[in-house]
């Protein structure tokens, strides 16, 4: 009789490592939706009363159709951004994620990683760990979104929030702050999408969580 051929040993299961829990992924995409809606509708609102007379946004890339429609889109997205952002920051603080993911950031590590990125040598081998450039960029984006909300309140409810209006330098200055905070957010979005295209695994991780 022919002896039975022993079965090949089974390879051990590779554990699936969760990178982004469900609440992070949901809040990320809701935040992106709210921010894009606010920017596009905000451009239409800006065109109705430009800060800089020599500059307006092309009507074809704005949202709302007219000032009233743009305001409705803007306020709807504002509440989504505020509620979603509050939930995200609360859960990030409770779970300790904000400390694990975004800190520490030192000038030395930031300079090192910026130089590595410029030379195309910045590693993305472990998506669970953010490099110093990512940490600084995400922290800046969070601060910028908070500034957008505060400056927006100073513009929208100027009479109801006089102290906030004063801290921002008055109504007209609050509009300028709001405009440039929006410009920074657009710049962050462009860089963020570019990096996701260069490292597609990061996009898949934000969709699947692993």
């Amino acid at each position: 009789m022919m002896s039975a051929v022993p079965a090949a040993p089974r390879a051990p299961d590779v554990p699936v490592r969760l990178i982004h829990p469900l609440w992070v992924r949901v809040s990320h995409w809701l935040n992106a939706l709210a921010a894009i809606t606010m920017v596009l509708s905000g451009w239409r609102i800006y065109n109705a009363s430009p800060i800089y007379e020599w500059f307006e946004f092309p009507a074809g890339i704005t949202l709302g159709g007219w000032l009233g429609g743009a305001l409705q889109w803007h306020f709807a997205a504002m509440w989504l951004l505020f509620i979603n952002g509050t939930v995200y920051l609360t859960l990030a603080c409770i779970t300790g994620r904000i400390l694990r993911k975004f800190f520490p950031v030192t000038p030395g590590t930031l300079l090192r990683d910026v130089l590595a990125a410029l030379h195309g040598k910045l590693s993305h081998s472990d998506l669970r760990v953010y490099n110093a450039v990512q940490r600084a960029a995400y922290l800046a984006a969070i601060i910028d979104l908070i500034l957008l909300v505060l400056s927006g309140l100073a513009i929208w409810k100027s009479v109801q929030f006089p102290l906030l209006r004063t801290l921002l330098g008055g109504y007209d200055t609050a509009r300028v702050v709001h405009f440039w905070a929006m410009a920074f957010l657009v710049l962050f979005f462009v860089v963020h999408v570019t990096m996701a295209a260069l490292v597609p695994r990061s996009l898949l991780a934000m969709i699947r969580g692993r």
Side-chain angles (χ1 to χ4, degrees):
M1 296 181 57
M2 297 180 61
S3 59
V5 178
R10 182 180 178 182
D13 294 332
V14 178
V16 176
R17 296 180 296 182
L18 185 66
I19 298 176
H20 303 301
L22 180 61
W23 64 268
V24 170
R25 285 175 279 146
V26 171
S27 61
H28 173 274
W29 293 113
L30 287 178
N31 196 54
L33 174 63
I36 293 172
T37 302
M38 289 197 71
V39 167
L40 297 181
S41 59
W43 289 350
R44 171 68 69 169
I45 297 169
Y46 169 90
N47 286 348
S49 179
I51 297 173
Y52 305 105
E53 296 295 337
W54 48 269
F55 177 76
E56 288 188 4
F57 294 97
I61 61 172
T62 64
L63 179 65
W66 62 298
L67 178 58
L71 287 169
Q72 291 179 338
W73 278 106
H74 205 68
F75 292 147
M78 175 198 70
W79 285 114
L80 176 59
L81 179 70
F82 175 75
I83 295 172
N84 182 65
T86 301
V87 170
Y88 170 81
L89 288 176
T90 301
L91 291 176
C93 291
I94 292 175
T95 61
R97 181 181 176 87
I98 197 167
L99 292 176
R100 293 194 311 271
K101 289 290 187 178
F102 302 141
F103 294 95
V105 181
T106 64
T109 57
L110 181 59
L111 178 61
R112 180 199 64 197
D113 285 354
V114 167
L115 292 176
L118 292 176
H119 289 86
K121 298 180 180 180
L122 191 59
S123 175
H124 298 279
S125 57
D126 189 351
L127 296 180
R128 295 172 301 171
V129 180
Y130 290 155
N131 56 60
V133 175
Q134 289 174 303
R135 293 180 181 185
Y138 294 149
L139 285 173
I142 292 173
I143 294 171
D144 184 66
L145 286 170
I146 294 173
L147 183 60
L148 273 169
V149 171
L150 294 178
S151 58
L153 279 176
I155 298 169
W156 178 39
K157 297 291 185 180
S158 183
V159 176
Q160 290 84 346
F161 295 98
L163 179 59
L164 180 59
R165 182 190 67 228
T166 301
L167 291 174
L168 288 169
Y171 179 84
D172 291 332
T173 304
R175 288 192 67 206
V176 174
V177 170
H178 199 66
F179 176 87
W180 286 107
M182 173 277 301
F184 178 85
L185 182 64
V186 172
L187 176 62
F188 170 83
F189 179 79
V190 171
V191 174
H192 189 57
V193 171
T194 301
M195 293 306 299
L198 294 175
V199 189
R201 291 188 303 117
S202 63
L203 177 60
L204 291 176
M206 189 53 73
I207 295 174
R208 301 185 303 177
R210 60 187 188 278

